[in-house]
Structures are given as structure tokens and as C-alpha cells.
Amino acid sequence: MTYEHDEIVEQQADITGLLLHHVYAPLIEDQHVRGVLPAPPTTGAVRVVLGDKDEYAPDRLTAYEIPLRTGDELRTPHDVAALLRTVHTGTHIYPRDRVSTVMGMTLYTVDPATVDPASFTNDDWTFTLLRCLASPSTEEYPEARLCGFLLRAPDRIRLYLDTEESLPGITAADVHPGGALTALLAALPSLLDEDRLTTTDTDDPHCSRVVDLTDW
């Protein structure tokens, strides 16, 4: 993994950590975060999925691809949230080459140069303060670093994970959010290398392989 790519992966993990809050609290009006996807490595971007609370149908969700590099710097998680709040409200005209589909969802490729980011709200500042106090930042990531997720059904979530020990590239793990979570979290890094549970024949462009842990 190159230094530049590792920078993107670390930023992806930080963005995922911030936007997890908006699975439950709307990001804008009645729109919630339904997924954060690691865009293909060549894009240097993040993809965020928005939709109504408890919505899982791909054709009722909208994905936005936001480039993470801005000059020599990287956009922060708060920068990404501010851009999302702008592009998902009002009327925005996208050229044909910036509208496509991915996994059944409409995908818009955002050009940040044409967008005025929304202002940071008092709730944002409050959440940031409380989050910093409750979960101080650390340089040590867990063995299986969470780089994204997609809510696929009420009892199914896809986790996008990066580990130094497993095969190169992002590994997606399909899991049930209930059950023996402590045991699953402890075993997760080793389960990512289980060939009998793994398929590389997937229509998900955000990972190199998918591990099915729904029966684990």
C-alpha cells in the first residue's frame, strides 16, 4: 500500500466514524446516512449513501462521490458532511458524465468547486465536543479498521474493513447486527481470511472480496 493510498484509507475510517452518528440522527432534514462506501482506489474519494430512515431499497437511496484530495491536503470528515448537506438540498444540475449507478443506487459525482459547503451547526459543535470527551482519538486503529458500511436489510449490514494482516484491498463482511457481538468482534480479523466463506465474484466495486458471516 502506498503512503498516498494509506492516507485515503485512514481518512475514510475517520469519515465513517463521524457519519455513524447520522444513521440515527438525520444529516439534513429527514435524510439519514445509510452507508459510507470506500470508492475504488483510483478515485481517491468517498461515497456516502443518503435516504429515509429505515430505507434499504437501492432505488430509493442516493449515493454521492466526493473527492478527498484538495491540493496537498485532504478534506476532513466535517468538510464531507458540509458538502453533503448542500448537494442533497435544492436543485443541482449534474452533467451526464457525473451521473451513474452503483449497486442499484443513483450515484452523483460531486465537483466541490461548484458547491458552497453548508455551515457548521451548533449541534455539530456540540456533538464534536461530546465525542472528543467520550471517545478520545487514538493513533492505534483496531486490527480490522472500519472503512465503511452499507445497511442492506433490517437484519444485515455490510462492513468494509481494511487490515494489515489480510489480503490487500478492502474486504467486505456481511454480518447480522444482533447476537453474540462481542465474540464476533474478537474473531473478525481471523474470519476475514476464511476461504470457505469468501467470494471474489461480487458486483460490489467497493471491495476486493466479500466474506459471508451471516451464519457465524
Side-chain angles (χ1 to χ4, degrees):
M1 182 182 294
T2 65
Y3 172 75
E4 290 78 11
H5 180 57
D6 193 52
E7 270 192 317
I8 293 292
V9 173
E10 286 189 11
Q11 200 72 343
Q12 175 85 31
D14 288 344
I15 291 167
T16 300
L18 176 73
L19 293 183
L20 282 176
H21 168 67
H22 293 292
V23 171
Y24 304 100
L27 178 69
I28 182 71
E29 297 177 349
D30 61 349
Q31 294 295 285
H32 293 248
V33 172
R34 306 302 291 159
V36 181
L37 306 171
T42 55
T43 65
V46 62
R47 291 173 176 172
V48 181
V49 180
L50 298 182
D52 291 342
K53 189 177 187 298
D54 299 327
E55 184 60 73
Y56 298 93
D59 61 349
R60 296 181 64 83
L61 300 173
T62 304
Y64 295 93
E65 180 175 305
I66 297 175
L68 290 181
R69 291 206 176 275
T70 171
D72 294 331
E73 304 295 327
L74 292 177
R75 287 189 170 82
T76 69
H78 295 298
D79 292 336
V80 171
L83 287 169
L84 285 169
R85 284 181 170 137
T86 297
V87 299
H88 200 71
T89 57
T91 301
H92 300 275
I93 306 300
Y94 289 87
R96 184 174 300 177
D97 62 353
R98 289 185 171 270
V99 183
S100 58
T101 60
V102 62
M103 299 173 71
M105 300 176 284
T106 299
L107 171 66
Y108 295 100
T109 301
V110 176
D111 178 3
T114 66
V115 178
D116 292 325
S119 300
F120 217 52
T121 68
N122 286 334
D123 282 349
D124 289 327
W125 286 116
T126 300
F127 173 68
T128 299
L129 171 63
L130 295 175
R131 184 169 178 263
C132 288
L133 291 171
S135 302
S137 61
T138 174
E139 295 299 323
E140 295 184 8
Y141 284 98
E143 288 184 63
R145 180 166 53 182
L146 181 66
C147 291
F149 65 94
L150 182 62
L151 303 169
R152 296 173 64 82
D155 63 345
R156 190 182 185 98
I157 182 172
R158 176 163 290 181
L159 306 175
Y160 295 91
L161 301 158
D162 169 75
T163 73
E164 293 184 358
E165 302 300 326
S166 64
L167 296 172
I170 296 292
T171 298
D174 286 339
V175 303
H176 287 308
L181 282 181
T182 301
L184 174 62
L185 291 172
L188 194 56
S190 60
L191 291 172
L192 298 181
D193 289 326
E194 287 282 349
D195 290 340
R196 62 187 176 83
L197 302 173
T198 302
T199 178
T200 55
D201 183 15
T202 172
D203 62 353
D204 188 340
H206 308 101
C207 58
S208 301
R209 65 202 68 84
V210 176
V211 182
D212 187 355
L213 302 179
T214 53
D215 292 328
W216 191 82

